[in-house]
């Protein structure tokens, strides 16, 4: 029998308890009623005692209804008359989501007595996951082999702060654990109880008594969330007394409105849905009075909660994609599933996500968010595949629409559109945005840095720095101020067809102001009838003309002002020249420079020259390596429009940044074009240029032997065309000059020599040359202008003493005009000595037997 003194001591506490059981009635079947493995328990000497099967590994449980949650104190007495271990322990559940405590889906909080560390600790259970330690008790507090007596008190404040206390004498002189963490994961409970695990000798060694659950705090109003224009969900910190929760007079808006209905939600009795007769205003404040919980605690009030007006459709700049998890492996900590994070940037508006569509550029398949979906001001949500929702449920709000797009690891274009099809947000990401080679390989998300700079691209994104690899449904780890202070610039203009001109800008424009006709003008004067920003990224504007353009007739587009999507406006007038392109024929565009053997770690490039008077569109053109036999693989220059002006050069490479780094002073960034791939050119090969229909426009058969033999290395040295109008033959190419860094991508060739010597039959240009690879007279050319075709030539170089130095040409058929170059190298591959040399030219016409012989003098000099 329990001591009377102890009973009298506890009476003041137990009198206010919402649940208590000291088993003085001799049973656990009433007042309150415990259920579960009833046959495995008994009441002996007014204490609850285990009495299960004597089988090692047996787990038994007993529970009783309890809805107490926050602002609650739990107490119980226990004695484990055994040596605790991982196979002999007791879990006393304070809050459980199910009456069956052994159900693996159960969630809530429990106190563990014993275990491997022989301690008293507080745990949280998240459904099927392993229990999470909330308060780690002092090890060895339950170290007896036969008598582990303890009284435990757990307090959860209304602010969700937990305190764990114990008295190892079974009395009430409690000692608190130092840790008092905040954990608000679970706000509802259906049961309290005990769950035991034991070995065969300990089936009757667990004793419990004096269970008491006390909630002496009034309910708190947490928030008010609008459902639609006239309904609002009012959330409290605990389950409410339905009688007080449904009294209409207990609620009012500060504007005086009283609800017409008040309904406690069946799936969450801590939430009341109020319906009002009129629509909510933009900002609202709800007052609540005389609200009671299940235990009779009344909040006189007024309790207040502010909430925004009804959910509204998002506008441009409201709804953003702020995180992208495209490469989920290797696993760092996040689930092995792709996701994006969306964010309501508005500070006041609740966004309705109903009908919002997520898609990829170039595809028609979209994922549509449900009509019930919404985001509060400043709230985040995860969007993932419909079968992956449970993986992210523990992180926050999550939506799993069907047709969630597969995210490419290397990069993709993602677009959010409203129900009406308007573009709300667009981002074209790349794995280069990680700025971290290790994180680029997978397991880490990309995060937006500054949500106020949402139009920006690579400079406003970076790899997450969160230890788990990302921050789904919460503020980004990379979050920082990163404002856009730059105004947009006009990059170029392009005639898409005879009546449409597309203007390209450096960043996303404000689509409304970009449609203002008065911002654009053409010279010579041409009427513009419409300006249409191009979705989804709004970096281009299509201008419709009143009259068709004439092919290859240049015009200048002037833009008075361009405003980007965050409001930065350009200053002075900007302009770009363009013309309607026409079709190219063979020889219009030629290979002008080729780097086939780049330095280690660098990349190749092929430069083209438009030597025609036409404007030419390169869309769909291709480079081909080797013979055109249908088996070779072509690489495309561009899938979109790309126009070359007359005389323009463009250098194509797989990495523009690498070319700029390799040739920092000899490139022109405006004429560098990055392509997905280029052929892997060999040391001896042929480059073909094809148009979009596969017609050959030019070809160059080259060899590393074309390079100046005096070079210490050929790596990183390009071959440059000498004569613009000359044939695409090896004899018309020479190594780029060392003085310019051995290549001129996007710039005029260092070895260009277009002076033909007039109409004289034979001329030498220059007459004095210095083959030192400085780009100044590095070679000399024997230029010929013959009176008729059919000549066969032999050209030989002799020194001033008449000794053979170099055989340049042997019995080669010549065109009527052209040249032969000498780079100052003799037949043994060595640089010839400084001095005078004779070029002996022998011409023969087989058809008539006519022979001619000429001698031209040239000086091989040197710079001192």
């Amino acid at each position: 029998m329990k001591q009377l003194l102890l009973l009298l001591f506890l009476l003041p506490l137990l009198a206010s308890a919402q649940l208590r059981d000291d088993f003085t009635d001799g049973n656990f079947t009433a007042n309150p009623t415990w259920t579960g493995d009833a046959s495995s328990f008994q009441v002996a000497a007014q204490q609850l005692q285990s009495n299960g099967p004597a089988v090692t590994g047996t787990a038994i449980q007993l529970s009783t209804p309890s809805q107490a949650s926050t602002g609650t104190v739990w107490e119980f007495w226990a004695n484990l008359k055994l040596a605790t271990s991982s196979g002999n322990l007791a879990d006393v559940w304070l809050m459980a989501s199910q009456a069956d405590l052994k159900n693996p889906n159960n969630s809530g909080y429990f106190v563990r007595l014993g275990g491997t560390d022989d301690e008293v600790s507080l745990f949280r259970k998240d459904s099927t996951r392993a229990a999470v330690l909330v308060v780690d008790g002092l090890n060895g507090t339950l170290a007896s082999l036969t008598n582990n007596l303890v009284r435990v008190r757990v307090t959860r404040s209304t602010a969700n702060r937990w305190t764990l206390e114990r008295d190892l004498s079974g009395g009430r002189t409690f000692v608190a654990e130092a840790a008092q963490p905040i954990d608000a994961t679970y706000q509802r409970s259906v049961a309290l109880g005990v769950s035991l695990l034991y070995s065969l000798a300990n089936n009757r060694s667990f004793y419990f008594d004096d269970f008491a659950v006390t909630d002496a705090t009034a309910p708190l109003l947490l928030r008010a969330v609008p459902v639609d224009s006239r309904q609002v969900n009012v959330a409290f910190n605990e389950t409410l007394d339905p009688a007080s929760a449904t009294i209409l007079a207990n609620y009012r808006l500060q504007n005086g409105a009283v609800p017409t209905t008040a309904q406690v939600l069946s799936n969450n009795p801590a939430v009341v849905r109020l319906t009002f007769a009129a629509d909510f205003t933009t900002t609202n404040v709800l007052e609540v009075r005389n609200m009671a919980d299940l235990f009779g605690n009344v909040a006189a009030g007024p309790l207040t909660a502010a909430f925004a007006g009804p959910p509204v459709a998002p506008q441009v700049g409201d709804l953003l994609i702020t995180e992208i998890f495209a490469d989920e492996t290797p696993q760092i900590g996040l689930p092995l599933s792709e996701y994006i994070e969306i964010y309501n940037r508005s500070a006041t508006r609740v966004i309705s996500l109903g009908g919002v569509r997520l898609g990829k550029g170039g595809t028609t398949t979209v994922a549509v968010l449900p009509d019930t979906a919404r985001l509060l001001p400043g709230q985040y949500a995860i969007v993932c595949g419909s079968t992956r929702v449970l993986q992210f449920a523990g992180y926050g709000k999550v939506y799993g629409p069907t047709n969630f797009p597969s995210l490419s690891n290397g990069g993709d274009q993602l677009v959010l559109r409203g129900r009406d099809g308007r573009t709300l947000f667009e981002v074209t990401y790349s794995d280069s945005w990680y700025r971290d080679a290790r994180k680029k390989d997978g397991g880490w998300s990309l995060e937006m840095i500054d949500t106020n700079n949402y139009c920006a691209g690579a400079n406003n994104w970076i790899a997450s720095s969160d230890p788990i690899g990302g921050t789904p449904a919460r503020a980004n780890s990379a979050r920082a101020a990163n404002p856009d202070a730059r105004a947009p610039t006009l990059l170029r203009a392009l005639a898409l067809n005879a009546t449409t001109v597309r203007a390209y800008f450096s960043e996303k424009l404000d689509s409304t102001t970009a449609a203002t006709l008065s911002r654009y003008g053409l010279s010579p004067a041409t009427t513009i009838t419409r300006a249409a920003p191009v979705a989804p990224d709004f970096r281009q504007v299509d201008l419709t003309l009143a009259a068709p353009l004439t092919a290859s007739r240049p015009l200048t587009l002037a833009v008075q002002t361009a405003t980007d999507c965050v409001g930065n406006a350009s200053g002075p007038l900007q302009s770009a020249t363009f013309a309607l392109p026409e079709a190219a024929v063979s020889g219009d565009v030629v290979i002008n420079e080729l780097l086939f053997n780049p330095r280690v770690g660098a990349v190749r490039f092929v430069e083209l020259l438009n030597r025609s008077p036409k404007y030419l569109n390169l869309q769909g053109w291709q480079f081909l390596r080797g013979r055109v036999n249908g088996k070779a693989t072509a690489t495309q220059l561009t899938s979109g429009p790309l126009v070359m002006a007359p005389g323009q050069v463009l250098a194509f490479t797989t990495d523009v940044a690498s070319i700029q780094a390799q040739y920092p002073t000899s490139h022109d960034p405006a004429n560098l074009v990055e392509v997905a791939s280029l052929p892997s050119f060999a040391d001896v090969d042929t480059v073909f240029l094809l148009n979009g229909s596969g017609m050959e426009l030019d070809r160059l058969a080259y060899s590393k032997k074309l390079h100046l033999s005096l070079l210490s290395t050929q790596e990183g040295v390009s071959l440059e065309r000498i004569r613009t109008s000359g044939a695409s033959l090896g004899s018309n190419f020479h190594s780029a000059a060392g003085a310019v860094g051995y290549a001129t991508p996007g710039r005029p060739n260092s070895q260009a020599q277009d002076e033909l010597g007039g109409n004289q039959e034979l001329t030498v240009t220059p007459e004095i040359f210095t083959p030192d690879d400085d780009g100044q007279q590095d070679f000399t050319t024997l230029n010929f202008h013959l009176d008729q075709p059919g000549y066969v030539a032999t050209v030989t170089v002799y020194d001033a003493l008449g000794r053979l130095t170099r055989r340049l040409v042997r019995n080669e058929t010549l065109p009527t005009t052209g040249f032969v170059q000498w780079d100052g190298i003799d037949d043994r591959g060595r640089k010839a000595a400084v001095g005078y040399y004779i070029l002996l030219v022998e011409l023969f016409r087989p058809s008539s037997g006519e022979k001619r012989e000429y001698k031209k003098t040239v000086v091989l000099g040197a710079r001192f």
Side-chain angles (χ1 to χ4, degrees), residues 160-179:
N160 298 297
R161 185 176 296 280
W162 293 83
T163 304
L164 174 63
E165 301 173 282
R166 51 179 162 75
D167 183 342
L168 299 182
S169 69
R172 299 180 55 77
T173 306
F174 290 107
V175 175
E177 297 291 349

Side-chain angles (χ1 to χ4, degrees), residues 357-389:
R357 304 174 184 190
L358 168 66
K360 291 169 60 172
T363 64
T364 57
T365 303
V366 294
V368 183
L369 294 176
D371 288 342
T372 56
R374 63 199 66 243
L375 281 180
L376 302 178
Q379 188 176 26
Y380 298 85
I382 302 162
V383 183
C384 62
S386 58
T387 61
R388 308 302 176 97
V389 171

Side-chain angles (χ1 to χ4, degrees), residues 336-359:
L336 289 170
S337 294
E338 298 176 347
Y339 71 84
I340 67 163
E341 175 188 81
I342 56 176
Y343 171 62
N344 179 1
R345 200 177 71 91
S346 170
T348 59
R349 294 187 294 276
V350 178
I351 287 179
S352 172
L353 300 176
V356 169
R357 304 174 184 190
L358 168 66

Side-chain angles (χ1 to χ4, degrees), residues 515-680:
T516 305
L517 279 176
S518 60
R519 295 193 170 207
Y520 310 95
L522 286 172
S523 178
T526 303
T527 302
I528 302 172
T529 61
R530 181 171 179 262
V534 181
D537 66 349
F538 301 116
R539 291 175 184 266
Q540 301 93 37
V541 179
D542 282 351
L543 307 174
T544 303
L545 310 183
L549 299 172
T550 301
S552 293
R553 180 193 177 199
L555 292 93
T556 299
L557 170 67
V559 179
Q560 301 289 344
T561 304
T563 305
D564 67 19
C565 71
V566 294
N568 297 310
S570 62
L573 185 75
Q574 303 179 73
S575 63
T577 300
F578 70 97
L580 178 66
E582 52 186 308
V585 298
S586 180
D588 281 350
V589 177
V590 293
I591 297 165
N592 194 54
E593 187 174 356
L594 172 66
L595 177 65
F596 62 87
N597 187 17
R599 298 183 182 107
V600 175
V603 293
R604 302 172 176 84
F605 72 82
V606 183
E607 182 184 84
L608 301 181
L609 165 68
N610 180 4
R611 60 183 188 182
S612 77
K614 309 173 186 175
Y615 282 78
L616 303 172
N617 189 352
L618 276 57
Q619 184 171 4
W621 287 22
Q622 301 171 325
F623 288 126
L624 191 69
R625 171 194 175 192
R627 295 179 297 114
V628 181
N629 56 11
K631 296 181 180 180
T633 301
T635 58
Q636 194 174 67
L637 277 64
T638 173
S639 59
L642 178 61
V643 173
M644 288 186 77
Q648 186 179 10
V649 293
L650 290 177
F652 297 84
T653 180
T654 57
D655 190 339
V656 165
S658 174
I659 293 296
Q660 292 176 314
Q662 291 294 314
Y663 308 102
T665 62
S666 61
H667 75 275
D668 185 342
N671 293 327
L672 299 181
V673 181
E674 191 159 292
V675 294
S677 62
L678 281 177
S680 299

